[in-house]
Amino acid sequence: MHPCYEVDNFSYKLATTPSTKCLVIYISLSFFSLVTTCGNLLVIISVIYFKQLHTPTNSLILSLAVADLLVGVLVFPFSIAFTVTSCVYQEHLLCKLRDSFDVALCTSSILHLCFISIDRYYAVCKPLTYTVRINDRVAAIMILVCWGVSVLIGIAIIVAGFSQGKCEGNCSVDVLLANIMGPVFSFYLPAIIMLSIYLKIFLVAQKQARSIHNTKSGATVSKMERKATKTLAIVMGVFLLCLTPYFLCIVFEPLSKESTPLAVIEALNWLTLSNSMLNPFIYAFFYSWFRSAFRMIISGKIFQGDFVNSKL
């Protein structure tokens, strides 16, 4: 029985007085939404405010943070509403909106990570041509492609009516073609491309580490690029760990004789959403300049003077 429901005169309805378990679920998920929103807002403010962070790579990170922020602001409330009320209110509209935002922002995130892996490939494997091939204009085009494709997919889900979830079933895309072909092109194929690129980067970085005989400054630059690549590879790794279980589930569910329990689908969906909350913590843990920026923003120091050109 759903923790937020009760039986009244043999009818199953939303409890007028929520149980303790229901309140704990609601408060916990609301807290996750708040942390996701605030964490990504810190990343966005940091990259926009501090001039030192105005690089093509950080532009992509900024755009990725915007996608994660929208997950906290848009997807989390819809998902909380479904988790707590089990899609009682306007179930078809709620499911459509939830799926549209969820799939669009998920697609946006993985496309951003694809372009970030390309950025890292040129930074580590082709450092002499990096500034020519990856500049602000190229980064802007990458960002436009990410959001353009994502918005089109989000609109297609609503217009095509793929979301047919009901309260008895799963509030998720329920079309065989969408459940199999969608993940292949929006998740598995990009994931394989990213893994291949990062494997190539790892091999080149290992080769560089063994053969560096240049100046100290050249070695330092190379070391910084490899560290940045390692951090962004961890971001991608966390992304895959959070999303792979859900995509495996929805791909193999149509092939199973029994439907996956709703509680399992919900748990896996929340695991995918948690990725948007984790990225800012990864940046803060691995990047000293993001830690410095976060401290200055949280303490309110940036409001006490002009620190745009500060050395982080």
Side-chain angles (χ1 to χ4, degrees):
M1 184 172 178
H2 195 286
C4 298
Y5 278 68
E6 63 183 4
V7 177
D8 183 27
N9 295 328
F10 302 103
S11 63
Y12 187 61
K13 66 177 185 178
L14 194 64
T16 52
T17 306
S19 65
T20 303
K21 186 183 287 188
C22 182
L23 286 173
V24 169
I25 292 173
Y26 186 81
I27 293 171
S28 299
L29 297 181
S30 298
F31 176 74
F32 291 156
S33 176
L34 180 64
V35 172
T36 302
T37 303
C38 293
N40 285 289
L41 196 57
L42 281 174
V43 175
I44 293 168
I45 295 172
S46 299
V47 177
I48 291 175
Y49 183 81
F50 294 102
K51 202 168 184 179
Q52 181 184 337
L53 300 181
H54 292 180
T55 65
T57 304
N58 286 338
S59 296
L60 290 167
I61 290 176
L62 168 65
S63 188
L64 175 61
V66 171
D68 289 336
L69 174 71
L70 290 176
V71 169
V73 173
L74 298 176
V75 180
F76 267 72
F78 280 113
S79 294
I80 290 171
F82 176 72
T83 299
V84 174
T85 68
S86 193
C87 219
V88 163
Y89 302 107
Q90 298 180 348
E91 57 190 55
H92 297 301
L93 176 62
L94 182 64
C95 287
K96 282 186 179 183
L97 289 174
R98 176 191 178 182
D99 287 338
S100 177
F101 289 134
D102 201 349
V103 175
L105 293 173
C106 174
T107 302
S108 177
S109 293
I110 199 164
L111 288 176
H112 277 95
L113 290 171
C114 273
F115 284 124
I116 287 173
S117 67
I118 294 171
D119 168 87
R120 290 297 85 203
Y121 172 79
Y122 280 105
V124 175
C125 301
K126 300 181 183 295
L128 297 178
T129 60
Y130 173 68
T131 54
V132 176
R133 292 179 179 273
I134 308 294
N135 50 42
D136 291 335
R137 185 178 65 85
V138 172
I141 292 172
M142 290 177 173
I143 292 169
L144 286 174
V145 169
C146 290
W147 286 106
V149 172
S150 302
V151 169
L152 287 176
I153 289 175
I155 294 173
I157 287 176
I158 293 179
V159 173
F162 280 165
S163 297
Q164 301 296 331
K166 297 181 180 179
C167 290
E168 299 81 21
N170 301 327
C171 182
S172 59
V173 177
D174 192 23
V175 175
L176 182 62
L177 181 64
N179 278 0
I180 294 177
M181 299 304 294
V184 168
F185 288 103
S186 66
F187 178 74
Y188 290 109
L189 187 59
I192 291 171
I193 292 172
M194 283 190 289
L195 287 172
S196 301
I197 291 174
Y198 276 113
L199 178 60
K200 172 67 174 176
I201 292 172
F202 175 76
L203 294 174
V204 171
Q206 289 293 98
K207 186 177 179 181
Q208 287 177 350
R210 290 192 299 265
S211 61
I212 280 183
H213 296 292
N214 334 8
T215 63
K216 184 178 178 181
S217 60
T220 302
V221 170
S222 181
K223 183 179 179 181
M224 288 173 59
E225 292 292 1
R226 289 200 305 273
K227 183 179 179 181
T229 301
K230 180 181 177 181
T231 302
L232 294 170
I234 291 172
V235 171
M236 191 204 74
V238 171
F239 180 86
L240 293 177
L241 286 174
C242 290
L243 271 73
T244 301
Y246 178 79
F247 278 98
L248 285 175
C249 180
I250 63 173
V251 164
F252 289 106
E253 185 181 18
L255 306 176
S256 175
K257 293 181 181 179
E258 297 182 4
S259 60
T260 306
L262 180 59
V264 174
I265 293 290
E266 280 298 292
L268 293 179
N269 184 66
W270 279 107
L271 178 62
T272 64
L273 295 179
S274 68
N275 176 76
S276 297
M277 180 179 65
L278 295 174
N279 283 343
F281 292 100
I282 297 173
Y283 301 140
F285 185 79
F286 286 99
Y287 283 134
S288 60
W289 53 83
F290 269 119
R291 286 198 299 273
S292 300
F294 290 175
R295 280 196 295 267
M296 293 178 71
I297 294 169
I298 294 172
S299 65
K301 189 175 180 180
I302 63 172
F303 302 109
Q304 299 170 9
D306 185 7
F307 297 95
V308 173
N309 296 307
S310 298
K311 180 71 175 176
L312 297 173

